[in-house]
Coordinates of all heavy atoms in Angstrom, one line a residue:
T1476 N 0.9 -1.2 0.0 CA 0.0 0.0 0.0 C 0.8 1.2 -0.1 O 0.6 2.2 -0.8 CB -0.9 0.1 1.2 OG1 -1.8 -1.2 1.2 CG2 -1.8 1.3 1.3
D1477 N 1.9 1.2 0.8 CA 2.9 2.3 0.9 C 3.6 2.6 -0.5 O 3.7 3.8 -0.9 CB 3.8 2.1 1.9 CG 3.3 2.3 3.4 OD1 2.2 2.8 3.5 OD2 3.9 1.8 4.3
A1478 N 3.9 1.5 -1.0 CA 4.6 1.6 -2.4 C 3.8 2.0 -3.5 O 4.3 2.3 -4.6 CB 5.5 0.4 -2.5
L1479 N 2.5 1.7 -3.4 CA 1.6 1.7 -4.6 C 1.5 3.2 -5.1 O 1.5 3.5 -6.3 CB 0.2 1.3 -4.2 CG -0.8 1.3 -5.2 CD1 -0.4 0.3 -6.4 CD2 -2.3 0.8 -4.8
D1480 N 1.5 4.3 -4.2 CA 1.3 5.6 -4.6 C 2.6 6.4 -4.8 O 2.6 7.6 -4.9 CB 0.5 6.3 -3.6 CG -1.0 5.8 -3.6 OD1 -1.5 5.2 -4.5 OD2 -1.5 5.9 -2.4
L1481 N 3.7 5.7 -4.7 CA 5.0 6.4 -4.7 C 5.3 6.8 -6.2 O 5.0 6.2 -7.2 CB 6.2 5.5 -4.4 CG 6.2 5.0 -2.9 CD1 7.4 4.1 -2.6 CD2 6.3 6.3 -2.0
L1482 N 5.8 8.1 -6.4 CA 6.1 8.7 -7.8 C 7.4 9.4 -7.7 O 7.7 10.3 -7.0 CB 5.0 9.7 -8.1 CG 5.2 10.3 -9.5 CD1 5.0 9.3 -10.6 CD2 4.1 11.4 -9.7
D1483 N 8.4 8.8 -8.5 CA 9.8 9.3 -8.6 C 9.7 10.7 -9.4 O 8.9 10.9 -10.4 CB 10.7 8.4 -9.3 CG 11.0 7.2 -8.4 OD1 10.7 7.3 -7.2 OD2 11.5 6.2 -8.9
Q1484 N 10.4 11.6 -8.9 CA 10.6 13.0 -9.6 C 11.9 13.0 -10.4 O 12.9 12.4 -10.2 CB 10.7 14.2 -8.6 CG 9.6 14.3 -7.7 CD 9.6 15.5 -6.7 OE1 10.3 16.4 -7.1 NE2 9.0 15.3 -5.5
S1485 N 11.7 13.7 -11.7 CA 12.8 13.9 -12.6 C 13.7 14.9 -12.4 O 13.3 16.0 -11.9 CB 12.2 14.0 -14.0 OG 13.2 14.1 -15.0
T1486 N 14.9 14.7 -12.5 CA 16.1 15.8 -12.3 C 16.4 16.3 -13.7 O 17.4 17.2 -13.7 CB 17.2 15.3 -11.6 OG1 17.8 14.2 -12.4 CG2 16.9 14.7 -10.2
E1487 N 15.8 16.0 -14.7 CA 16.2 16.3 -16.0 C 16.1 17.8 -16.2 O 17.1 18.5 -16.8 CB 15.3 15.7 -17.1 CG 15.7 16.0 -18.5 CD 14.8 15.3 -19.6 OE1 13.9 14.5 -19.1 OE2 15.0 15.7 -20.7
E1488 N 15.1 18.5 -15.7 CA 15.0 19.9 -15.9 C 16.1 20.7 -15.2 O 16.8 21.7 -15.6 CB 13.6 20.4 -15.4 CG 13.5 21.9 -15.7 CD 12.1 22.4 -15.3 OE1 11.2 21.5 -15.0 OE2 11.8 23.6 -15.4
L1489 N 16.4 20.2 -14.0 CA 17.5 20.9 -13.1 C 18.8 20.7 -13.8 O 19.6 21.6 -13.7 CB 17.4 20.2 -11.7 CG 16.4 20.6 -10.8 CD1 16.4 19.8 -9.5 CD2 16.4 22.1 -10.5
E1490 N 19.0 19.5 -14.3 CA 20.4 19.3 -15.0 C 20.3 20.2 -16.3 O 21.6 20.8 -16.5 CB 20.5 17.9 -15.5 CG 20.6 16.9 -14.2 CD 20.4 15.4 -14.6 OE1 20.1 15.1 -16.0 OE2 20.7 14.5 -13.8
K1491 N 19.3 20.4 -16.9 CA 19.3 21.3 -18.1 C 19.6 22.7 -17.7 O 20.3 23.4 -18.2 CB 18.0 21.3 -18.7 CG 17.9 22.2 -20.0 CD 16.5 22.1 -20.7 CE 16.5 23.0 -21.9 NZ 16.7 24.4 -21.6
N1492 N 18.9 23.2 -16.5 CA 19.2 24.5 -15.9 C 20.7 24.7 -15.5 O 21.3 25.8 -15.7 CB 18.3 24.8 -14.7 CG 16.8 24.8 -15.2 OD1 16.5 25.1 -16.3 ND2 15.8 24.6 -14.2
L1493 N 21.2 23.7 -14.9 CA 22.6 23.9 -14.5 C 23.5 24.0 -15.8 O 24.5 24.7 -15.8 CB 23.1 22.5 -13.8 CG 22.5 22.4 -12.3 CD1 22.9 21.0 -11.8 CD2 23.2 23.6 -11.4
A1494 N 23.2 23.2 -16.8 CA 24.0 23.3 -18.1 C 23.8 24.7 -18.7 O 24.8 25.4 -19.1 CB 23.5 22.3 -19.0
D1495 N 22.5 25.2 -18.5 CA 22.3 26.6 -19.0 C 23.1 27.6 -18.3 O 23.6 28.7 -18.8 CB 20.8 26.9 -19.0 CG 20.0 26.1 -20.0 OD1 20.7 25.6 -20.9 OD2 18.8 26.0 -19.8
I1496 N 23.1 27.5 -16.9 CA 23.9 28.4 -16.1 C 25.4 28.4 -16.5 O 26.1 29.5 -16.6 CB 23.7 28.0 -14.6 CG1 22.4 28.5 -14.2 CG2 24.8 28.7 -13.8 CD1 22.1 28.1 -12.7
E1497 N 25.9 27.3 -16.7 CA 27.4 27.2 -17.1 C 27.6 28.0 -18.4 O 28.6 28.7 -18.6 CB 27.8 25.7 -17.3 CG 29.3 25.6 -17.5 CD 30.1 26.3 -16.5 OE1 29.8 26.4 -15.3 OE2 31.3 26.8 -16.9
E1498 N 26.8 27.7 -19.5 CA 26.9 28.4 -20.7 C 26.7 29.9 -20.5 O 27.4 30.7 -21.1 CB 25.8 27.9 -21.6 CG 25.7 28.6 -23.0 CD 27.1 28.5 -23.8 OE1 27.9 27.5 -23.5 OE2 27.2 29.1 -24.7
T1499 N 25.7 30.3 -19.8 CA 25.6 31.8 -19.4 C 26.8 32.4 -18.9 O 27.3 33.4 -19.1 CB 24.4 32.0 -18.6 OG1 23.2 31.5 -19.3 CG2 24.1 33.5 -18.4
N1500 N 27.3 31.7 -17.8 CA 28.6 32.2 -17.0 C 29.7 32.2 -18.0 O 30.6 33.1 -17.9 CB 28.8 31.3 -15.9 CG 27.8 31.5 -14.7 OD1 27.2 32.5 -14.7 ND2 27.8 30.7 -13.8
R1501 N 29.8 31.3 -18.9 CA 30.9 31.3 -20.0 C 30.8 32.6 -20.7 O 31.8 33.2 -21.0 CB 30.8 30.1 -20.8 CG 31.9 30.0 -21.9 CD 31.8 28.9 -22.8 NE 30.7 29.2 -23.7 CZ 30.7 30.0 -24.8 NH1 31.8 30.5 -25.1 NH2 29.6 30.2 -25.5
K1502 N 29.6 33.0 -21.2 CA 29.5 34.2 -21.9 C 29.8 35.5 -21.0 O 30.4 36.4 -21.5 CB 28.1 34.2 -22.5 CG 27.7 33.2 -23.5 CD 26.2 33.4 -23.8 CE 25.9 32.4 -25.0 NZ 24.5 32.5 -25.5
V1503 N 29.3 35.4 -19.7 CA 29.5 36.5 -18.9 C 31.1 36.8 -18.7 O 31.6 37.8 -18.7 CB 28.9 36.3 -17.4 CG1 29.3 37.3 -16.4 CG2 27.4 36.3 -17.6
R1504 N 31.8 35.5 -18.4 CA 33.2 35.6 -18.3 C 33.9 36.2 -19.5 O 34.8 37.1 -19.4 CB 33.8 34.2 -18.0 CG 33.5 33.6 -16.7 CD 34.2 32.4 -16.3 NE 33.8 31.8 -15.2 CZ 32.8 30.8 -15.1 NH1 32.4 30.4 -16.3 NH2 32.4 30.3 -13.9
A1505 N 33.4 35.8 -20.7 CA 33.9 36.3 -22.0 C 33.7 37.8 -22.1 O 34.7 38.5 -22.4 CB 33.3 35.7 -23.1
N1506 N 32.6 38.3 -21.7 CA 32.2 39.7 -21.7 C 33.1 40.4 -20.7 O 33.7 41.6 -21.0 CB 30.8 40.0 -21.4 CG 29.8 39.5 -22.5 OD1 30.3 39.1 -23.6 ND2 28.5 39.5 -22.4
L1507 N 33.3 39.9 -19.6 CA 34.1 40.6 -18.5 C 35.6 40.6 -19.1 O 36.2 41.7 -18.8 CB 34.0 39.8 -17.3 CG 32.8 39.9 -16.5 CD1 32.8 39.0 -15.3 CD2 32.3 41.3 -16.1
D1508 N 36.0 39.7 -19.7 CA 37.4 39.6 -20.2 C 37.6 40.7 -21.3 O 38.6 41.4 -21.3 CB 37.8 38.3 -20.8 CG 38.0 37.1 -19.7 OD1 38.1 37.6 -18.6 OD2 38.0 35.9 -20.1
K1509 N 36.6 40.8 -22.1 CA 36.6 41.9 -23.2 C 36.6 43.3 -22.6 O 37.4 44.1 -23.0 CB 35.4 41.7 -24.2 CG 35.5 42.6 -25.3 CD 34.3 42.3 -26.2 CE 34.3 43.2 -27.5 NZ 35.5 43.0 -28.3
Q1510 N 35.7 43.5 -21.6 CA 35.7 44.8 -20.9 C 36.9 45.2 -20.3 O 37.4 46.2 -20.3 CB 34.5 44.8 -20.0 CG 33.1 44.7 -20.6 CD 32.0 44.4 -19.6 OE1 32.2 44.3 -18.5 NE2 30.7 44.3 -20.2
K1511 N 37.6 44.1 -19.6 CA 38.8 44.3 -18.9 C 39.9 44.7 -19.9 O 40.8 45.6 -19.7 CB 39.2 43.1 -18.2 CG 40.6 43.1 -17.4 CD 40.6 44.2 -16.3 CE 41.7 44.2 -15.4 NZ 43.1 44.3 -16.1
A1512 N 39.9 44.0 -21.0 CA 40.9 44.2 -22.0 C 40.8 45.7 -22.7 O 41.7 46.4 -22.9 CB 40.8 43.3 -23.2
E1513 N 39.5 46.0 -22.9 CA 39.2 47.3 -23.5 C 39.6 48.5 -22.4 O 40.2 49.5 -22.8 CB 37.8 47.5 -23.8 CG 37.5 46.7 -25.0 CD 35.8 46.7 -25.2 OE1 35.1 47.2 -24.2 OE2 35.4 46.4 -26.3
E1514 N 39.4 48.2 -21.0 CA 39.8 49.2 -20.1 C 41.3 49.3 -20.0 O 41.8 50.4 -19.8 CB 39.2 48.7 -18.7 CG 39.5 49.6 -17.5 CD 38.9 51.0 -17.8 OE1 37.9 51.2 -18.4 OE2 39.5 52.0 -17.2
D1515 N 42.0 48.1 -20.1 CA 43.5 48.2 -20.0 C 44.0 48.9 -21.2 O 44.9 49.8 -21.1 CB 44.0 46.7 -20.2 CG 43.8 46.0 -18.8 OD1 43.6 46.6 -17.8 OD2 44.0 44.7 -18.9
A1516 N 43.4 48.7 -22.5 CA 43.9 49.4 -23.6 C 43.6 50.9 -23.5 O 44.4 51.7 -23.7 CB 43.2 48.9 -24.9
K1517 N 42.5 51.2 -22.8 CA 42.2 52.8 -22.6 C 43.3 53.4 -21.7 O 43.7 54.5 -21.9 CB 40.8 52.8 -22.0 CG 40.4 54.2 -21.7 CD 38.9 54.4 -21.2 CE 38.5 55.9 -20.8 NZ 37.3 55.8 -20.2
Q1518 N 43.5 52.6 -20.5 CA 44.4 53.2 -19.7 C 45.9 53.4 -20.2 O 46.5 54.4 -20.0 CB 44.5 52.3 -18.4 CG 43.3 52.3 -17.5 CD 43.3 51.4 -16.4 OE1 44.4 50.7 -16.2 NE2 42.3 51.2 -15.5
Y1519 N 46.3 52.4 -21.0 CA 47.6 52.5 -21.6 C 47.6 53.6 -22.6 O 48.7 54.3 -22.9 CB 48.1 51.2 -22.2 CG 48.7 50.2 -21.3 CD1 47.9 49.2 -20.6 CD2 50.0 50.5 -20.7 CE1 48.5 48.4 -19.7 CE2 50.6 49.6 -19.8 CZ 49.8 48.5 -19.3 OH 50.3 47.8 -18.4

């Protein structure tokens, strides 16, 4: 009876969200690197 109504939840969406975060952060890091390089060039 206890096991009859059990329903496993999927982590697929969370895994997808984690992958999306990493891709987004990769873009953010790239943008930060470009902004830093432009600021360095301006200062020099």
Side-chain angles (χ1 to χ4, degrees):
T1476 300
D1477 290 341
L1479 184 62
D1480 296 330
L1481 295 177
L1482 179 62
D1483 289 344
Q1484 298 182 30
S1485 174
T1486 63
E1487 181 179 356
E1488 183 176 356
L1489 288 173
E1490 292 171 355
K1491 180 179 180 302
N1492 291 339
L1493 286 171
D1495 290 343
I1496 285 178
E1497 184 56 34
E1498 175 63 17
T1499 299
N1500 286 343
R1501 183 187 67 81
K1502 293 179 179 180
V1503 171
R1504 292 188 187 98
N1506 289 354
L1507 292 174
D1508 289 343
K1509 183 177 182 66
Q1510 292 169 0
K1511 179 64 166 57
E1513 290 174 344
E1514 181 62 26
D1515 288 346
K1517 178 182 177 183
Q1518 291 179 359
Y1519 278 101

